[in-house]
């Protein structure tokens, strides 16, 4: 996702609850809540953004503080249910991968997203010790993007076979390259088709 | 809720050291059995490696991905409209729910709202689909435990639902019933009558299933206390849907974060206490009755009006991202969509309930018997098309 | 030679006792053929009855109402490739189905279809039956072990554990019935199958109702144990399809597999005939005490004929309801032919000499058929037990109850 959309467009004085009911073009608004305040007081500039978009709240955190912040979110902010862990690949950026945690709190009936950007080849601390649910989700992220999670008990591919080359959800992964290679090796057809 | 996990996090991890067999108490090596991918009771192409001491399960490891079709990659090369039918192929026994989740997510991203009539039609079809999904679950689950007959009863009655689908949109299984912005098809003449006839037809049939199973001694013995999972473990493992509710958590997205027209209907969320297979069975049976209640209200109050919101021909959401989830028959089905402002989604991530729920298999069967593995796979109600996507 | 053959006709003992090898061979042929046909018929009936329990039609294509399906199956199984796994112990793999088959067919030597209609009458008949039929567990274990594969191995272990456990309760239930045979003037009981039925005849009561409810409980224990003994639902764990794919015969195919099936169904019929002999009065017609006299004898002796005529009638109704399309002509003619054969058999059964000789066999078979129907009914109704529950039922419920029944029967026998 391009960077520019992240900057809040509406006037900063406007409270987020009173956001326009149905704007023609949805926009991000700053997100204020005790949770945000807590993380901001703890990490200061580590909290790069805390915004609301289409009624959904998310943080963008610095990679260095994210693992710790996730634990705080679980232990102190009651985000006890890790809905999903995923990533997006933005090859044009410096830090190519955006890791996304979708969290839910049963007690507060609230759903937030935590995002962080990491560079290609960088690994990230596993959150299996925070939410056991992260086990397969992180394995899938590894399988599809090649992001390694440190401290994961069983970091290996999950959906694709062991010997698969490349990580398909990277933007630079050609869909037919694997197929061509297979055809070349196994059927001996040079063109690969 | 909000309990801390009571267990050591390591106890959630299912990873077998297959090359170093442990010694069992009889000083014999344990048995490693490969169950699946071609096994009659793994509901598709699930492969479970079981480590056994006699009949007792010491550990399991799931090997999945045999049905992986790269749905998320396909999405990046299709327009929003073109991707719509693909989601039906994930959980193919609850295709309508999948479609509803996707359409609503894109609508949310575009900030449009489906008209009320469309929402009512969506609710009716989705709940019918939930019934169909639960019926299929019941039949196969009972078959796994050895009761052959319920399978045929449930399939007979599921047929009536599929007939309604077929009349509505021409397809029975992968329906592609909804479009972004509403519904493409107005209900056919006699739709209401068909649905009403069906909701009068089904309750005695549900009683019939219950008559075969609920008080059947063998059924109770095979399911009570089998595959127990506590509410805290469910939450820790991200398990949702009837499995979570059977463990005593009264949480249903239809109530917690209502979507479509669910906030307008009166229905209960059945919950269980012990979190065992029998409770999950009872919860799903009651859910079927509640679904009928929702359908009855919806079909009686269905408003007139347009069925399609004003949606541009070319769907081009603004730059941004959205996570939207619905209560699919198997649990929380979420779509995370990132738009870069073009006609094709930049990234679509599907949060499949079956995939996440399947993680709990190891915890639920460890220390139990081989026959319980089958019962637990059945009670988790997984669809491999959704696990592998 | 001819004298040797005809001399038996005036005898009123079984050919085995009379020492007449010719007639013994004839009987063996008839019983073997009859059981094989019964197995095929049972195969068809099970599929049809189960289908109707499950709101399906079952086999409909091969012959009218799938009547020729068992024959088609048999041809298919005989011509199928016979696969022996490369890792298997070939000799044991080959031997296992034969052992099961022999064990389940040998027991028919003592099955009393009538007072003289048995191949022979051993004085230890019931012991012989229990002993030989329990040999089939050997075949199961051999099959599971020889396949050299995990699923058959687990299936075989389950099966052997199950058959051995239930044999104990089964044996004790049988003993309590045998105790009842000694309640006569001389106080001597019998282990002979024919003797047991004759004891019921002379005591004028089926052992099912003797010392009510003791006989009934013993019969119940036997009826449960015999289902477990033959590995049928709800005790079909050894071949639990959804758990162990097919249990001990997973690796078998074609002819060898069909031998297992033949053995299984033959064993079902065999244990049902034990139950019929011990508790339900064997070949005796219903109500021999209440409905006595010449007239009732005549009425009951006519039932077999009427039954076959009824079957023929059903077949003819089927003919009438067949679609009148040239495509169905062969089927219609076939069904009519089948009905005609049934009708003919019915008419033959009315002939007095046939009538008198056949009615024992008829009542015996009818009672066995009820049990066979129960087998199908169980299969359609019940889920499957888990292994530990199965063992618990066997050792903690059936065994103590059967011991209790045995002791009580003994006390009652002494007191009355």
């Amino acid at each position: 996702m391009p960077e520019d959309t992240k900057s809040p467009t509406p006037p900063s004085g406007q409270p987020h609850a009173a956001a326009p009911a149905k704007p023609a073009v949805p926009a991000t608004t700053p997100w204020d809540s005790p949770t945000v305040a807590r993380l901001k007081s703890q990490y200061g500039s580590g909290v790069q953004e805390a915004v609301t978009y289409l009624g959904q709240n998310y943080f963008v955190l610095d990679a260095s503080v994210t693992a710790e912040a996730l634990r705080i979110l679980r232990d102190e902010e009651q985000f006890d249910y890790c809905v999903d862990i995923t990533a997006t690949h933005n090859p044009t950026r410096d830090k190519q991968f955006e890791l996304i945690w979708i969290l839910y709190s049963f007690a507060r009936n609230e759903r937030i997203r935590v995002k962080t950007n990491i560079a290609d080849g960088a690994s990230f601390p596993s959150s299996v010790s925070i939410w056991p649910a992260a086990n397969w989700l992180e394995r899938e992220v590894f399988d599809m993007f090649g992001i390694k999670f440190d401290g994961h008990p069983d970091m290996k591919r999950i959906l694709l076979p062991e010997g698969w080359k490349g990580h398909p959800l990277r933007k630079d992964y050609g869909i037919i390259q694997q197929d061509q290679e297979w055809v070349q090796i196994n059927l001996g057809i040079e063109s690969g088709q | 809720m909000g309990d801390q996990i009571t267990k050591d996090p390591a106890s959630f991890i299912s990873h077998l050291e297959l090359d170093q067999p442990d010694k069992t108490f009889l000083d014999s090596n344990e048995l490693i059995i490969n169950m699946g991918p071609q096994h009659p009771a793994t509901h598709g192409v699930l492969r479970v490696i079981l480590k056994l001491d006699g009949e007792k399960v010491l550990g399991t490891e799931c090997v999945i991905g045999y049905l992986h079709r790269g749905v998320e990659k396909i999405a990046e090369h299709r327009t929003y409209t073109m991707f719509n039918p693909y989601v039906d192929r994930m959980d193919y026994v609850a295709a309508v729910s999948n479609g509803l989740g996707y359409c609503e997510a894109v609508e949310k991203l575009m900030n449009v709202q489906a008209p009320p009539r469309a929402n009512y039609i969506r609710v009716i079809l989705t709940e019918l689909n939930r019934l169909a999904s639960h019926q299929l679950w019941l039949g196969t689950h009972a078959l796994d435990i050895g009761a052959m007959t319920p399978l045929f009863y449930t399939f007979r009655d599921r047929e009536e639902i599929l007939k309604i689908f077929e009349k509505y949109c021409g397809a029975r299984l992968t329906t592609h019933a909804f479009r972004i912005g509403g519904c493409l098809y107005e209900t056919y003449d006699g739709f209401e009558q068909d649905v009403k006839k069906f909701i009068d037809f089904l309750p005695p049939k549900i009683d019939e299933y219950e008559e075969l199973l609920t008080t059947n001694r063998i059924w109770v013995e095979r399911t009570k206390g089998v595959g127990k999972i506590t509410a805290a473990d469910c939450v820790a493992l991200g398990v949702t849907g009837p499995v979570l509710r059977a463990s005593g958590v009264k949480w249903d997205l239809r109530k917690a974060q209502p979507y479509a027209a669910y906030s307008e209907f009166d229905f209960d969320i059945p919950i269980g206490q012990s979190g065992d297979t029998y409770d999950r069975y009872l919860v799903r049976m009651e859910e079927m009755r509640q679904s009928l209640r929702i359908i009855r209200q919806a079909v009686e109050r269905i408003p007139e009006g347009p069925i399609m919101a004003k949606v541009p021909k070319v769907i081009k959401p603004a730059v941004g991202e959205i996570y939207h989830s619905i209560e699919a028959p198997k649990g929380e089905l979420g779509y995370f969509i990132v738009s870069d402002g073009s006609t094709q989604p930049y990234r679509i991530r599907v949060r499949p309930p079956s995939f996440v729920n399947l993680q709990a298999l190891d915890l639920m069967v460890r220390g139990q018997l081989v026959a319980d593995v089958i019962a637990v796979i059945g009670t988790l109600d997984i669809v491999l098309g959704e696990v592998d996507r | 030679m001819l004298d040797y053959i005809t001399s038996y006709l005036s005898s009123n003992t079984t050919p085995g006792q009379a020492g007449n090898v010719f007639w013994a061979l004839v009987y063996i042929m008839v019983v073997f053929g009859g059981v094989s046909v019964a197995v095929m018929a049972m195969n068809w009936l099970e599929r049809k009855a189960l289908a109707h329990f499950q709101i399906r039609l079952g086999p409909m294509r091969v012959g009218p109402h799938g009547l020729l399906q068992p024959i088609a199956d048999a041809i298919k199984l005989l011509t199928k490739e016979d696969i022996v796994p490369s890792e298997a112990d070939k000799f044991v793999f080959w031997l296992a189905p034969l052992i099961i088959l022999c064990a389940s067919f040998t027991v028919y030597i003592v099955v009393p279809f009538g007072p003289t209609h048995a191949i022979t009458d051993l004085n230890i008949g019931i012991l012989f039956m229990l002993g030989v039929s329990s040999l089939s567990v050997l075949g199961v274990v051999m099959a599971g072990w020889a396949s050299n594969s995990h699923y058959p191995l687990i299936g075989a272990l389950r099966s052997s554990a199950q058959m051995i456990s239930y044999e104990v309760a089964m044996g004790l239930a049988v003993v309590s019935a045998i105790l009842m045979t000694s309640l006569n003037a001389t106080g001597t009981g019998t282990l002979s199958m024919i003797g047991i039925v004759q004891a019921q005849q002379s005591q004028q009561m089926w052992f099912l109702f003797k010392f009510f409810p003791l006989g009934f409980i013993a019969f119940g224990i036997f009826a449960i144990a015999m289902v477990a003994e033959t590995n049928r639902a709800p005790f079909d764990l050894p071949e639990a399809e959804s758990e162990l794919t097919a249990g001990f015969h997973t690796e078998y195919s074609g002819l060898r597999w069909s031998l297992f099936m033949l053995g299984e169904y033959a064993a079902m019929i065999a244990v049902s005939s034990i139950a019929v002999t011990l508790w339900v009065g064997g070949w005796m017609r219903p109500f021999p005490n209440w409905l006595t006299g010449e007239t009732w004898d005549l009425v009951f002796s006519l039932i077999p004929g009427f039954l076959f005529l009824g079957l023929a009638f059903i077949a003819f109704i089927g003919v009438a309801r067949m679609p009148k399309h040239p495509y169905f002509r062969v089927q219609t003619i076939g069904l009519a032919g089948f009905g005609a054969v049934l009708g003919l058999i019915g008419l033959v059964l009315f002939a007095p000499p046939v009538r008198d000789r056949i009615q024992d066999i008829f009542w015996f078979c009818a009672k066995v058929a009820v049990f066979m129907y129960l087998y199908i009914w169980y299969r359609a109704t019940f889920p499957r037990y888990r292994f530990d529950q199965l063992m618990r039922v066997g050792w903690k419920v059936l065994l103590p109850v059967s011991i209790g029944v045995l002791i009580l029967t003994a006390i009652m026998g002494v007191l009355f």
Side-chain angles (χ1 to χ4, degrees), chain A residues 96-114:
Chain A
Q96 291 193 358
F97 291 101
E98 191 175 57
L99 275 172
I100 298 144
W101 288 260
I102 300 169
L103 308 177
Y104 180 81
S105 161
F106 283 99
R108 294 154 61 166
N109 188 17
E110 186 183 345
R111 200 188 295 281
I112 60 168
R113 290 198 292 277
V114 177

Side-chain angles (χ1 to χ4, degrees), chain B residues 71-120:
Chain B
V71 163
E72 291 173 17
K73 185 75 177 173
I74 291 172
E76 294 173 12
H77 297 264
R78 299 285 182 275
T79 65
Y80 286 94
T81 322
M82 281 163 77
F83 183 60
N84 199 350
Y86 282 90
V87 298
D88 287 357
R89 271 81 183 164
M90 289 189 306
D91 182 355
Y92 38 77
V93 300
V96 181
S97 294
N98 284 257
L100 176 74
Y102 175 72
C103 291
E104 290 209 323
V106 179
E107 283 161 20
K108 230 171 158 182
L109 188 61
M110 294 164 67
N111 215 2
V112 297
Q113 238 160 23
R117 183 171 171 83
N119 271 339
Y120 269 70

Side-chain angles (χ1 to χ4, degrees), chain C residues 35 41 55 66 99 127 133 156 178 182 321 329-330 359 378 380 383 401:
Chain C
V35 171
I55 46 169
I99 286 189
L127 265 185
S133 69
I178 291 167
S182 67
R321 289 177 55 192
R329 190 170 295 149
V330 179
Q359 57 170 323
Y378 295 153
V401 172

Side-chain angles (χ1 to χ4, degrees), chain C residues 283-301:
Chain C
W283 64 77
M284 286 193 285
R285 68 170 174 83
F287 312 115
N289 308 328
W290 297 351
L291 310 175
T292 48
E294 288 282 312
T295 332
W296 281 113
D297 283 345
L298 182 67
V299 167
F300 275 105
S301 68

Side-chain angles (χ1 to χ4, degrees), chain A residues 81-144:
Chain A
Y81 166 27
C82 176
V83 181
D84 201 0
I85 298 174
T86 186
T88 57
H89 184 210
N90 309 286
T92 51
R93 292 195 203 161
D94 272 354
K95 291 184 166 183
Q96 291 193 358
F97 291 101
E98 191 175 57
L99 275 172
I100 298 144
W101 288 260
I102 300 169
L103 308 177
Y104 180 81
S105 161
F106 283 99
R108 294 154 61 166
N109 188 17
E110 186 183 345
R111 200 188 295 281
I112 60 168
R113 290 198 292 277
V114 177
K115 306 207 282 190
T116 189
N117 292 294
I118 61 169
D120 189 10
S123 61
F124 194 84
S126 167
S127 39
V128 172
S129 60
I130 309 176
W131 298 283
N135 188 346
W136 284 17
L137 297 170
E138 282 177 357
R139 273 175 72 187
E140 198 185 339
V141 172
F142 167 70
D143 199 354
M144 295 297 160

